[in-house]
Amino acid sequence: MAIRDSTARDARFADRQEAGRQLAERLLPLAPESPVVVALPRGGVPVAREIALALEAPLDVLAVRKLGAPHNPEYGIGAVAEGGARVIDHEAIAGLGVNGGALESIVERETAELGRRVDLYRGDRPPLDLAGRTAIVVDDGIATGVTDAAALRAARRRKPRRLVLAVPVCAPDSAQMLREYADEVVCLRAPRLFYGVGQWYRDFSQVSDEEVVAALEQLRDDAV
């Protein structure tokens, strides 16, 4: 697992595009494998676009939704990805006293939102085939790692030959946990003091649905 510890404020990325270009340099040795780049929308898409351009690889998305606690939606108790893959934080559920019925209700709601986003981003096109390919799953950063774990579990079901997770910045413990799901984790910054992904970008503006669709239309069919 390629991880570098960085704590200095000047280690911040200007924006997601710069982060993607730096990641692309680290990932260039994978270009001969004709990889497929798969982004977690929405924030992972500008990062992944730079990687796809540099590696001359097609770009797709893998939609994932955090499962928020019933009375505090910002507190994640798991995640669900398109295709039905899910990761549940059973310790958090037990601590909060979330029963099975409440959990399934949350899963159903977020699965419906997943469907909406997949229709918006991909339309009637099927997802890119990962079978036998090197798949590079890209996010703009990892905090708890739960959504990334669900994404990797979903990607693994599609039988890639090699599964790589690539992110600009990550919480060290979460990156270590994700080694269970990926063949390799590439992370440029792994600060000991990690308070959130956004602190490692000077510009962490929200990514729009329109930006996601435009990137996919440009790069989805390249180098297939």
Side-chain angles (χ1 to χ4, degrees), residues 38-39 41 60-65 80-86 111 114-115 117-118 121-122 125-127 150-151 153-155 157-158:
V38 183
D60 200 0
V61 292
L62 204 166
V64 185
R65 292 287 293 176
V80 60
E82 60 177 289
R86 64 171 74 175
T111 300
L114 270 183
R117 293 201 176 199
V118 170
Y121 299 149
R122 197 181 288 132
R125 297 173 300 188
R153 180 169 285 177
R157 289 181 176 181
R158 292 157 62 180

Side-chain angles (χ1 to χ4, degrees), residues 9 26 61 73 80 84 106-107 112 121 125-126 133 169-170 197 208:
R9 295 297 291 175
R26 184 73 65 86
V61 292
V80 60
I106 295 167
V107 170
Y121 299 149
R125 297 173 300 188
R133 305 283 295 273
V169 62
C170 56
V197 172
S208 69

Side-chain angles (χ1 to χ4, degrees), residues 17-77:
Q17 288 77 12
E18 182 193 58
R21 289 190 290 271
Q22 290 190 27
L23 258 182
E25 292 181 10
R26 184 73 65 86
L27 296 167
L28 276 176
L30 297 180
E33 299 180 22
S34 299
V36 178
V37 179
V38 183
L40 271 62
R42 291 174 292 194
V45 172
V47 182
R49 177 183 177 275
E50 300 297 329
I51 295 170
L53 285 169
L55 274 58
E56 298 183 350
L59 175 66
D60 200 0
V61 292
L62 204 166
V64 185
R65 292 287 293 176
K66 177 177 69 177
L67 304 176
H71 303 296
N72 182 9
E74 291 302 311
Y75 184 83
I77 57 175

Side-chain angles (χ1 to χ4, degrees), residues 97-108:
V98 179
N99 62 44
L103 177 61
E104 286 307 312
S105 177
I106 295 167
V107 170
E108 288 178 11

Side-chain angles (χ1 to χ4, degrees), residues 86-164:
R86 64 171 74 175
V87 172
I88 304 298
D89 185 340
H90 294 285
E91 184 175 333
I93 287 174
L96 294 170
V98 179
N99 62 44
L103 177 61
E104 286 307 312
S105 177
I106 295 167
V107 170
E108 288 178 11
R109 182 179 68 245
E110 296 303 338
T111 300
E113 175 60 18
L114 270 183
R116 185 195 72 81
R117 293 201 176 199
V118 170
D119 289 343
L120 175 63
Y121 299 149
R122 197 181 288 132
D124 57 1
R125 297 173 300 188
L128 293 180
D129 187 9
L130 303 184
R133 305 283 295 273
T134 293
I136 305 173
V137 175
V138 181
D139 202 355
D140 58 3
I142 298 171
T144 66
V146 175
T147 54
D148 298 271
L152 290 167
R153 180 169 285 177
R156 183 71 76 185
R157 289 181 176 181
R158 292 157 62 180
K159 303 187 183 306
R161 182 181 66 83
R162 183 179 182 187
L163 184 57
V164 179

